[in-house]
Amino acid sequence: MKMMSATRPFQTDDPRLAPIHAKVMAGVRLDADDALAFYRTGDILAVGWIANSVRERLHGNKTYFNVNRHINPTNVCIAACRLCAFGRKKDTAGAYTMALEEAFATAASGYSEAVTEFHIVGGLHPDLPFQYFLDLCSGLKQRFPQVHLKAFTMVEIAYLARRAKLSIRETLEQLKRSGVDSLPGGGAEIFADRVRHIICDHKIDGDQWLDTARLAHQIGLKSNATMLYGHVENDEDRVDHLLKLRALQDETGGFQTFIPLAFHPENTPLQHLPKTTGMQDIKQIAVSRLVLDNFPHIKSYWQMMTPKIAQISLRFGADDMDGTVIEEKIYHDAGATTPQGMRREELERLIREAGREPVERDTLYRPVTRTETSVTVAV
Ligand code: V47
């Protein structure tokens, strides 16, 4: 059964979309006006058709996932971002910081599925020394040498550098020597200052996020990139964010995956805002695939999207569903009702039922082969 759809005729009831479709088919780069037209149309099927044709050109029927575990060593954070329900002030109810042995024990729990990645992010702790983070990474590498460490957002890196009185480059180099293999995409939020002042006033600004990513890529660390949408930003802010990421990717080629993150307002100071809708979530996946023509992968993070929307997005531009996760905290503190983790078999079922072929990958998108007794990564 042939499940790919690029040969179906393109149809739209929105005259703005036909010329954009022609541009994509001719391999012409889309501009800000094209992206705005996507955001402003109701013809989600036409936008999805175009995004899906690009997705299938790049990845055919393959849909990637990995077997990973999240580790959040502390939720203590000086930043108090309005977007966040996870961070706590030091010594307040619910604040925690893992001793190193506790973090190693957390890493080991749920390890039975042969995890290939630890995804490590946390708050901006006012007292933890830089050495704690170096010891965390080297200790994890020593105990789990085959597991990839995808650790610390650009925001955490910039904060650690400031606290350790080191340059960002030196901070990244020391972390790399201690075992960090790549960086996750968090903390990017929306780059526009107007929005950042409202949702995450105390974080590094958009240019500093991009500069930190540039340095990471320059020293050979790949990273991801995210965009938090569905709060106080507008269409132009989202387009600006995507175009800035695309420009940096032209320069470094260091981004692997883009992950649009829908804002979950519950338990945050912005809880009066409505949740994103299915149309917004699906459309954001498609627009990301179309504007970020130099990003290899678009991830539909099931924890945030819900498994149902994430599954449908595999036909609207996404080629990756993230992983088993095991113990997600950031969205669950903000009211997410999705499960805390998902077994590999369940992820594979979701992918197959979307008519796609599941491919287990490691963090660098190399296929992982499993037998009863071993896990092999193709290099
Ligand atoms: O940076 C925080 C977001 C991010 C909320 O790189 C919220 O593979 C919604 O970056 N509602 C952290 N979002 C998660 C992240 C991530 C997730 C999965 C995969 C990867 C990857 C990265 O979560 C934060 C922020 O943008 N966030 N609070 C909230 N209330």
Side-chain angles (χ1 to χ4, degrees):
M1 181 172 50
K2 187 165 167 27
M3 299 298 292
M4 291 192 281
S5 53
T7 51
R8 272 185 226 140
F10 173 72
Q11 288 181 327
T12 180
D13 55 19
D14 185 335
R16 289 173 297 189
L17 297 185
I20 308 178
H21 167 245
K23 275 173 92 168
V24 174
M25 294 302 125
V28 176
R29 183 163 258 196
L30 300 183
D31 60 23
D33 287 339
D34 300 326
L36 287 172
F38 288 140
Y39 280 129
R40 288 165 189 175
T41 184
D43 194 351
I44 183 80
L45 290 179
V47 182
W49 190 100
I50 310 173
N52 190 51
S53 66
V54 173
R55 182 253 194 256
E56 291 187 353
R57 182 165 48 72
L58 291 171
H59 303 291
N61 236 352
K62 291 189 169 70
T63 293
Y64 300 95
F65 70 97
N66 70 348
V67 178
N68 60 353
R69 191 195 209 296
H70 283 207
I71 305 173
N72 306 118
T74 180
N75 65 352
V76 173
C77 191
I78 53 145
C81 296
R82 287 196 191 89
L83 66 90
C84 182
F86 170 71
R88 298 279 186 285
K89 288 277 169 256
K90 196 179 135 189
D91 299 328
T92 59
Y96 74 86
T97 300
M98 293 179 185
L100 286 175
E101 286 305 327
E102 234 179 304
F104 300 146
T106 302
S109 60
Y111 188 68
S112 58
E113 284 221 46
V115 166
T116 61
E117 169 190 285
F118 292 137
H119 172 135
I120 309 168
V121 294
L124 308 181
H125 195 293
D127 308 323
L128 277 180
F130 185 40
Q131 194 61 42
Y132 169 94
F133 297 92
L134 299 176
D135 292 345
L136 174 67
C137 295
S138 56
L140 285 169
K141 265 291 174 219
Q142 205 181 8
R143 288 163 178 80
F144 309 97
Q146 72 283 24
V147 178
H148 181 108
L149 300 188
K150 186 180 74 180
F152 313 124
T153 65
M154 306 307 161
V155 176
E156 290 169 275
I157 298 291
Y159 180 69
L160 291 177
R162 188 156 64 94
R163 290 221 348 109
K165 298 191 172 46
L166 294 172
S167 68
I168 290 186
R169 181 184 285 270
E170 181 57 24
T171 305
L172 285 162
E173 277 171 351
Q174 288 199 27
L175 286 166
K176 189 178 176 201
R177 282 198 293 274
S178 298
V180 169
D181 296 300
S182 72
L183 278 72
E189 322 309 1
I190 285 278
F191 293 139
D193 284 341
R194 177 187 63 78
V195 177
R196 260 184 131 72
H197 286 318
I198 300 170
I199 63 169
C200 56
D201 207 13
H202 302 104
K203 267 186 190 165
I204 53 173
D205 67 21
D207 285 342
Q208 288 168 315
W209 191 97
L210 291 161
D211 289 344
T212 307
R214 179 183 291 105
L215 281 166
H217 299 170
Q218 281 171 358
I219 69 158
L221 290 169
K222 294 278 184 192
S223 83
N224 292 337
T226 57
M227 176 176 78
L228 186 73
Y229 67 95
H231 40 84
V232 297
E233 90 291 1
N234 59 30
D235 294 344
E236 284 80 2
D237 297 323
R238 268 177 263 124
V239 172
D240 171 71
H241 189 95
L242 294 175
L243 293 183
K244 284 187 170 136
L245 286 173
R246 187 171 80 179
L248 182 56
Q249 179 74 334
D250 277 345
E251 202 184 310
T252 68
F255 289 117
Q256 300 204 102
T257 313
F258 177 71
I259 310 134
L261 298 169
F263 179 53
H264 286 232
E266 226 173 283
N267 304 325
T268 77
L270 299 173
Q271 61 187 343
H272 55 283
L273 295 176
K275 289 184 179 165
T276 61
T277 63
M279 278 290 271
Q280 281 175 303
D281 292 342
I282 292 281
K283 197 191 270 183
Q284 188 52 58
I285 288 284
V287 177
S288 306
R289 178 61 287 164
L290 288 164
V291 175
L292 297 177
D293 54 13
N294 51 6
F295 271 61
H297 302 282
I298 303 294
K299 185 187 285 187
S300 177
Y301 181 39
W302 67 265
Q303 284 272 6
M304 176 275 288
M305 287 269 192
T306 76
K308 290 180 183 184
I309 295 278
Q311 183 188 38
I312 292 170
S313 73
L314 301 181
R315 296 252 148 207
F316 285 77
D319 63 278
D320 189 324
M321 282 189 78
D322 200 80
T324 50
V325 180
I326 317 178
E327 219 189 348
E328 199 287 328
K329 290 195 207 294
I330 295 174
Y331 293 101
H332 288 83
D333 284 354
T337 53
T338 47
Q340 290 262 335
M342 202 188 294
R343 294 187 64 79
R344 191 169 67 243
E345 294 73 15
E346 181 58 8
L347 270 169
E348 286 178 340
R349 186 172 79 94
L350 287 173
I351 295 168
R352 281 212 181 86
E353 287 195 354
R356 298 299 194 196
E357 176 201 343
V359 177
E360 185 183 337
R361 60 162 177 91
D362 71 355
T363 313
L364 301 174
Y365 286 83
R366 295 172 301 193
V368 171
T369 314
R370 287 175 188 270
T371 65
E372 288 292 305
T373 51
S374 70
V375 181
T376 316
V377 176
V379 279

